[in-house]
Amino acid sequence: MKTIRQHIRDQEFKNVYLLYGDQPYLISRYKMMLKDAICTEETMNYTYYEGKDISVKELLQTLMTPPFFTERRLVIVENCGYFKKSADEIVEGLKKAAPTSYVIFVDNEIDKRNKLFKYVSANGYAAELKAPTERDIMVWLSGEIRKAGCKVSEDTLKYFIAMTGDDMNTMMCELMKLIGYVGNGNVITEEAIDRICIKQAEAKVFDMIDRVAEGDRNEALKQYKDLIDAKEEPIGILALISRHYGILYNVKSLLDGGYSSASICDKLNLRNYFIGRYIKQAGGYSSKQLFAIMDECAEIDRRLKSGMAQKEFEVETFIIRLGKIAAERSTTR
């Protein structure tokens, strides 16, 4: 990302770029930044292609055509599939392209052994746009909040991140709603976040397991029903439960190994906001119990995927069993 920003600042561009990764927000942002810098207006010197049925002949002809009345011609190619199949013709065409032609490929079907990928990496710039660290996200969100004239504490910002999930598009949409709600110049609070933002499924499952750990089975089941009413699939909820107990197992192992909470965050790539709750939950189980729960998750997942069980009921009864385990733990302490 720093490299692309440097290219834009210096106005010295590679003739071919590839943007890929797991963050659509960043991909879209850097695509538009490059587009605006290379081709300032959508004129006859800008062409956009999308999909796997693109005419290779037409694409290469466009790249060999000099720009009209400007320095550069820009071509953006999205989701073409060229980075997962034989692309010899594209590579040869890029070698013959006009030096004033610039192409940005945007794709997520990537094979790094692919000839086109190797060509872009060697002769242009291939940027994998991955999820940023929590600190990077906080810097980004803080900047957006300052631009809007609002204020937020570090703890409240961590709470917002925890509630809105990993997708930066979702974060930005929720932040814009939140800023509109609190108003220019005002302070963003956790109460405002709870009132206006949509809590993501992962955060809801965390709350549900909190209720399970506390022995509040009825509230845990209510939260499960809320997830179902929100059109979350039972098998997806089970996957989040399984992931959560997998994290608890790892947290428990690291705690037993004498690691600090900060070290556990770093090793498991966990958000700081959640670590205290993870440690509290993990402390209520033995490693053997956590492993058994993970094993049961895997067995239920197998039954659900094979059609051997009624999905909603099966996950509901599993939550009830988790509640019983919590109740047994509290009576034996």
Side-chain angles (χ1 to χ4, degrees):
M1 291 186 284
K2 289 180 180 178
T3 301
I4 292 177
R5 289 197 295 269
Q6 188 66 46
H7 290 177
I8 293 170
R9 279 195 297 270
D10 296 343
Q11 286 290 291
E12 294 181 0
F13 303 102
K14 298 292 186 180
N15 286 91
V16 57
Y17 289 87
L18 168 63
L19 306 179
Y20 69 104
D22 59 10
Q23 276 296 333
Y25 176 85
L26 289 177
I27 290 172
S28 177
R29 181 183 178 191
Y30 279 91
K31 177 184 71 176
M32 295 310 297
M33 286 170 63
L34 281 168
K35 177 182 178 295
D36 291 343
I38 295 171
C39 182
T40 54
E41 298 179 4
E42 290 195 16
T43 65
M44 65 182 78
N45 295 303
Y46 168 66
T47 309
Y48 176 80
Y49 295 101
E50 183 178 18
K52 296 181 180 178
D53 298 323
I54 298 167
S55 167
V56 173
K57 182 179 179 181
E58 180 184 335
L59 169 61
L60 297 182
Q61 283 179 340
T62 303
L63 290 173
M64 286 188 282
T65 304
F68 295 104
F69 309 114
T70 189
E71 295 181 5
R72 308 181 188 106
R73 173 178 296 281
L74 176 65
V75 178
I76 294 180
V77 185
E78 293 207 44
N79 305 316
C80 58
Y82 295 155
F83 294 88
K84 284 284 284 184
K85 61 185 180 184
S86 176
D88 291 0
E89 188 178 0
I90 302 293
V91 171
E92 292 307 311
L94 288 172
K95 291 177 181 177
K96 299 173 184 176
T100 49
S101 289
Y102 297 80
V103 58
I104 302 169
F105 290 103
V106 179
D107 215 316
N108 265 325
E109 295 184 8
I110 301 295
D111 182 347
K112 293 185 178 180
R113 300 167 299 178
N114 174 274
K115 190 172 181 178
L116 179 56
F117 181 87
K118 290 180 178 178
Y119 178 85
V120 175
S121 299
N123 299 278
Y125 186 69
E128 183 177 9
L129 299 168
K130 299 184 289 187
T133 64
E134 184 176 40
R135 175 51 55 186
D136 288 339
I137 289 175
M138 289 186 69
V139 170
W140 166 60
L141 291 174
S142 295
E144 296 296 329
I145 290 167
R146 280 196 303 273
K147 281 193 286 186
C150 295
K151 298 177 182 178
V152 67
S153 71
E154 183 172 331
D155 286 344
T156 301
L157 191 55
K158 287 179 180 179
Y159 179 73
F160 172 81
I161 294 168
M163 294 304 104
T164 52
D166 295 319
D167 182 76
M168 293 177 74
N169 273 324
T170 301
M171 284 186 195
M172 181 55 74
C173 288
E174 294 301 315
L175 183 61
M176 291 302 99
K177 284 164 49 180
L178 188 58
I179 288 170
Y181 175 75
V182 301
N184 184 55
N186 291 318
V187 177
I188 293 173
T189 63
E190 289 190 17
E191 181 184 8
I193 294 168
D194 289 337
R195 186 179 294 272
I196 203 70
C197 294
I198 298 172
K199 186 181 287 189
Q200 297 302 296
E202 185 176 359
K204 291 179 180 178
V205 166
F206 208 131
D207 289 344
M208 183 178 72
I209 294 175
D210 264 345
R211 303 294 83 75
V212 167
E214 293 166 2
D216 192 347
R217 196 186 316 170
N218 290 336
E219 182 60 26
L221 289 173
K222 178 182 179 299
Q223 291 179 339
Y224 172 65
K225 292 293 187 184
D226 288 343
L227 284 163
I228 295 295
D229 290 343
K231 307 301 181 185
E232 295 290 340
E233 286 291 328
I235 200 164
I237 297 170
L238 178 67
L240 289 172
I241 293 172
S242 178
R243 177 180 180 276
H244 189 94
Y245 277 97
I247 291 171
L248 292 185
Y249 179 82
N250 289 327
V251 168
K252 177 75 174 175
S253 299
L254 292 172
L255 283 172
D256 291 346
Y259 284 85
S260 67
S261 60
S263 297
I264 292 171
C265 267
D266 288 340
K267 279 192 165 291
L268 301 182
N269 195 26
L270 300 176
R271 288 181 173 159
N272 288 317
Y273 177 82
F274 280 135
I275 188 60
R277 293 169 70 188
Y278 276 125
I279 289 173
K280 181 180 178 182
Q281 288 182 4
Y285 295 90
S286 67
S287 293
K288 183 177 180 181
Q289 285 174 320
L290 290 169
F291 190 83
I293 290 170
M294 291 160 56
D295 198 45
E296 187 171 0
C297 283
E299 174 57 24
I300 294 170
D301 182 71
R302 185 190 67 80
R303 290 204 301 271
L304 295 185
K305 288 178 178 175
S306 64
M308 295 170 59
Q310 202 282 326
K311 294 178 181 179
E312 186 174 331
F313 176 76
E314 186 78 9
V315 176
E316 182 176 347
T317 54
F318 178 50
I319 292 169
I320 292 171
R321 288 197 296 278
L322 290 175
K324 288 181 178 178
I325 293 171
E328 290 167 2
R329 290 200 333 267
S330 62
T331 58
T332 56
R333 285 177 188 168

